[in-house]
Amino acid sequence: MSVSPGGGRSPGDSASGRPFSFAITARSSGNRARCGRFHTPHGAVDTPCFMPVGTLATVKGITATQLEATGARMVLANTYHLHLQPGEGIVAEAGGLHRFMGWEGPLLTDSGGYQVFSLGDINRINDQGVTFRSPRDGRRIALTPERAMAIQMDLGADVAMAFDQCPPYPASEAEVAAACRRTHGWLERCIASHTRPDQALFGIVQGGCFPELRAESARVVTSMNLPGIAVGGVSVGEPAAEMHRILRQLGPLLPEEKPHYLMGVGSLPEMALAVSQGFDLFDCVLPTRLGRHGTALVGGERWNLRNARFRHDHQPLDASCPCAACRHHSRAYLHHLIRSQEMLGKILLSLHNITQLMRFTRAMAQAIREGCFAEDFAPWELESGAAHTW
């Protein structure tokens, strides 16, 4: 087997004989939900798929072996933060991000575009790019579309994201229009500077909560004919009803033959709605963030394990869950660990929460294949706390 510059399989090792391909393997009747298989140089990803977030080349507190046991197939890391520490040069020296973090499956790197939004108080934006003030040492960091591509090519993930501007919510229509114009111009520069054949480049649709801007952004980004397309600028503070409207609007506008990635969304109702509109890939810090704060996802509900009601509860969190927390420990033990501020409690709840999202996406895929997705998962489109069996 030949080796790519990032230390993984060569582009010709995918099942299609090309570095990247996407095939729809099952469809739902009555909506746009589908199952798919996205081939990458580091293996195939069956969709719908939730990607755990490993910002700094680690899903917090979890080893690669533990992560694989949750059913995770593809992991996300962050360009901006890895550029700050340890630096993309160190990662390249190690043979690429896969070898550096010990993860053999597919990887995706965000471009740093989200930090344009989340670190808005320490950056300056113009048409050339973004200048950040490093939160580590105060030095100035210039990130342009070309620089974002160079960093991601050094990191060597299977999928690189285009550099974009995600406007905050609320923002005026003029402000969002300017961000879209800049995002589209930056995408052209990303395409021109991205030269790594064993790495797919995805474009990002922006447009805030303005239907005409969303439609125009979808038209521009899809016209670039990239291997995949993402939707950004959601889950940034807008009302849930606005996000739902955006997903329903954009689903029919995205090219059916490409994988569709909804960025930053990991709540069950929103994922179910997005799948019904033809979305395939998701990521969110939610499962591990909740776990670190003592909260478990159980049957669509959030349980705070600090609560006294768990002190004498010797049942597993979820008897049907195969994770280490549910197989080996009780609610009372997890309550004890969280109240004692033991790191094991945070790790076990993080593993459990990731496993829950993996089970949820697999259940959606099974329902699509069996022709009952609309019947089994439609309630999730409307009720954020609906009791459900999956």
Side-chain angles (χ1 to χ4, degrees), residues 7 25 39-40 89 132 135 137 155-156 188 213 223 233 265-266 291-292 308-309 336 360 374:
T25 58
H39 290 281
T40 81
F132 295 89
D137 56 16
L155 294 174
E188 292 179 350
L213 294 179
S223 73
V265 172
R292 294 196 306 277
R309 70 185 179 101
H336 156 68
F360 185 71

Side-chain angles (χ1 to χ4, degrees), residues 4 8-11 13-14 18-20 39-43 158 197-199:
S4 72
R9 302 179 193 179
S10 69
D13 289 326
S14 73
R18 299 173 308 197
F20 300 95
H39 290 281
T40 81
H42 285 83
D158 299 272
D198 63 341
Q199 184 179 70

Side-chain angles (χ1 to χ4, degrees), residues 78 80 110-125 130 132 143 163-171 179 186 206 232-238 264:
N78 183 270
Y80 172 82
D110 192 3
S111 65
Y114 182 77
Q115 281 65 48
V116 177
F117 157 77
S118 65
L119 301 178
D121 57 337
I122 60 169
N123 69 42
R124 295 291 182 270
I125 306 170
V130 182
F132 295 89
L143 199 56
F163 193 53
D164 66 327
Q165 182 182 354
C166 173
Y169 180 88
W186 287 355
Q206 289 289 350
V234 296
S235 195
V236 292
E238 77 281 2

Side-chain angles (χ1 to χ4, degrees), residues 65-128:
T65 301
Q66 290 173 321
L67 188 60
E68 186 176 9
T70 69
R73 185 64 186 131
M74 190 171 189
V75 177
L76 179 145
N78 183 270
T79 296
Y80 172 82
H81 290 291
L82 287 172
H83 174 62
L84 293 182
Q85 172 62 41
E88 62 275 13
I90 300 295
V91 176
E93 287 176 9
L97 193 55
H98 295 87
R99 287 184 178 174
F100 187 63
M101 64 185 288
W103 175 257
E104 296 182 356
L107 283 168
L108 179 150
T109 43
D110 192 3
S111 65
Y114 182 77
Q115 281 65 48
V116 177
F117 157 77
S118 65
L119 301 178
D121 57 337
I122 60 169
N123 69 42
R124 295 291 182 270
I125 306 170
N126 58 37
D127 287 349
Q128 180 60 28

Side-chain angles (χ1 to χ4, degrees), residues 86-224:
E88 62 275 13
I90 300 295
V91 176
E93 287 176 9
L97 193 55
H98 295 87
R99 287 184 178 174
F100 187 63
M101 64 185 288
W103 175 257
E104 296 182 356
L107 283 168
L108 179 150
T109 43
D110 192 3
S111 65
Y114 182 77
Q115 281 65 48
V116 177
F117 157 77
S118 65
L119 301 178
D121 57 337
I122 60 169
N123 69 42
R124 295 291 182 270
I125 306 170
N126 58 37
D127 287 349
Q128 180 60 28
V130 182
T131 301
F132 295 89
R133 177 77 68 177
S134 171
R136 292 177 175 269
D137 56 16
R139 65 188 171 94
R140 291 184 180 274
I141 299 168
L143 199 56
T144 64
E146 293 80 9
R147 188 70 185 124
M149 292 299 97
I151 295 170
Q152 290 186 86
M153 286 189 286
D154 280 345
L155 294 174
D158 299 272
V159 175
M161 298 304 300
F163 193 53
D164 66 327
Q165 182 182 354
C166 173
Y169 180 88
S172 70
E173 186 170 5
E175 290 170 327
V176 176
C180 283
R181 175 188 57 78
R182 190 168 283 139
T183 291
H184 301 156
W186 287 355
L187 176 56
E188 292 179 350
R189 290 163 58 188
C190 286
I191 293 170
S193 59
H194 186 266
T195 58
R196 184 163 180 162
D198 63 341
Q199 184 179 70
L201 174 62
F202 281 20
I204 303 174
V205 174
Q206 289 289 350
C209 294
F210 299 97
E212 291 185 3
L213 294 179
R214 282 288 181 181
E216 174 63 10
S217 186
R219 185 193 66 78
V220 171
V221 176
T222 58
S223 73
M224 304 295 182

